[in-house]
């Protein structure tokens, strides 16, 4: 009889997965493609990501909570040391690791240092060799590097992908589901990130700014949200924010001639925020100087809290 049939429920796997890799390897692009939402800033500027940003992928297999980490970069500057610390901390008590390698770049000492973080996590690691759709890709060198430096990572956990073109992403996700434990979903299945409103606003404004600024300026910028108000019975989201730079000379560059640059950044941020939030966005965006903030613990602690 039909009622006597046993229906086997699919076992759900859920857990936290840290994404690591060198700057500009494609970590944020992978996260956004996997989540099908813009969770993390994508920019050609290295070290755009400054915090451990969560993106949540929900499928019939379960839930993967990705933690996008800053690019692992060799530098003794105070900001860069803080970013390295963020990455290293995310590998503690993690369920799985996604190691992304840019196949268009030569394997160097920085890649060696990045791989060394995973020596004791090889059983939890899935490798995505990214940008293999490009003519400059040298994926065979990346595969050889993995086999020599992380020999305990199984061949079935090494994938050639294009995060930008959504090639190989599903295969990577399936492999990661096998790494994380059997668990019910950790977050509500409707969520694709746990970022609070102020942080999301900061990241969107900063993303629009750094993609419109040149040379050293993007690294010298951070965003401070001073006020957020729900107005007109919740129909309008009013925001006052500051683009903060290190020097007076940078302030003029960010503002631009006849305030053209800051206007361009403001309008782009409003457009992006309007795609996420249903309220009408009213953004008051100004520029101010926070001298030498990248060398000051007070500001760094606000932007990148120590764990």
């Amino acid at each position: 009889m039909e009622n006597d049939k046993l229906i086997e429920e699919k076992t759900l796997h859920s857990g936290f997965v840290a994404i690591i890799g060198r700057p500009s390897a494609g970590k944020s692009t992978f996260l956004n493609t996997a989540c099908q939402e813009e969770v993390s800033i994508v920019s050609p500027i290295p070290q755009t990501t400054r915090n451990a940003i969560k993106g949540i992928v929900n499928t019939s297999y379960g839930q993967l909570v990705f933690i996008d980490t800053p690019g692992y970069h060799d530098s003794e500057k105070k900001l860069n040391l803080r970013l390295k610390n963020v990455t290293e901390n995310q590998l503690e008590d993690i369920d799985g690791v996604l190691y992304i390698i840019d196949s268009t770049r030569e394997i160097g000492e920085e890649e060696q240092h990045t791989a060394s973080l995973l020596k004791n996590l090889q059983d939890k690691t899935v490798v995505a060799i990214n940008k293999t759709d490009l003519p400059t890709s040298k994926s065979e060198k990346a595969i050889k590097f993995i086999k020599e430096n992380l020999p305990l990572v199984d061949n079935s956990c090494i994938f050639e992908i294009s995060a930008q073109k959504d090639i190989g992403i599903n295969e990577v996700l399936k492999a990661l589901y096998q790494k994380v434990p059997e668990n019910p979903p950790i977050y509500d299945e409707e969520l694709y990130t746990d970022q609070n409103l102020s942080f999301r606003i900061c990241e969107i404004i900063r993303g629009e700014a750094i993609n419109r600024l040149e040379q050293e300026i993007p690294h010298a910028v951070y965003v401070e949200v001073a006020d957020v108000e729900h107005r007109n019975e919740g129909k309008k989201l009013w925001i006052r924010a500051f683009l903060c730079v290190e020097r007076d000379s940078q302030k003029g560059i960010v503002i631009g001639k006849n305030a053209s640059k800051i206007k361009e950044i403001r309008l782009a941020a409003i457009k992006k925020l309007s795609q996420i939030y249903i309220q009408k966005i009213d953004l008051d965006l100004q520029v101010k100087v926070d001298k030498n903030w990248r060398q000051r613990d007070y500001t760094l602690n606000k932007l990148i809290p120590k764990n």
Side-chain angles (χ1 to χ4, degrees), residues 75-107:
S75 172
E76 293 305 311
K77 292 182 179 179
K78 185 170 284 192
L79 174 61
N80 290 329
L81 290 173
R82 185 69 64 93
L83 296 179
K84 285 177 71 172
N85 181 253
V86 170
T87 298
E88 291 165 0
N89 286 342
Q90 297 312 309
L91 295 174
E92 297 178 6
D93 301 320
I94 203 72
D95 297 308
V97 179
L98 175 59
Y99 177 19
I100 297 182
I101 299 179
D102 181 351
S103 65
T104 66
R105 295 166 67 185
E106 291 296 328
I107 301 295

Side-chain angles (χ1 to χ4, degrees), residues 24 33 52 56 134 137 146 150 176 186 192 203 225 233 244:
S24 300
T33 300
I56 304 164
L134 300 179
S137 170
I146 291 298
L150 298 171
L176 286 167
I186 300 163
Y192 60 87
E203 287 293 277
V225 172
E233 297 179 343
C244 303

Side-chain angles (χ1 to χ4, degrees), residues 8 11 35 65 83 113 123 137 144 152 174 256:
E8 183 180 351
T11 303
C35 292
V65 182
L83 296 179
H113 292 167
D123 60 324
S137 170
K144 181 182 178 184
L152 300 181
K174 288 177 183 177

Side-chain angles (χ1 to χ4, degrees), residues 96-138:
V97 179
L98 175 59
Y99 177 19
I100 297 182
I101 299 179
D102 181 351
S103 65
T104 66
R105 295 166 67 185
E106 291 296 328
I107 301 295
E109 189 173 334
E110 200 168 67
E111 197 73 73
Q112 297 274 0
H113 292 167
T114 305
S116 68
L117 294 174
L118 306 179
K119 290 291 186 183
N120 297 323
L121 296 168
Q122 296 182 60
D123 60 324
K124 297 182 177 182
T125 298
V126 171
V127 178
I129 300 170
N130 193 24
K131 307 182 186 180
T132 57
D133 58 307
L134 300 179
T136 52
S137 170
K138 301 179 182 66

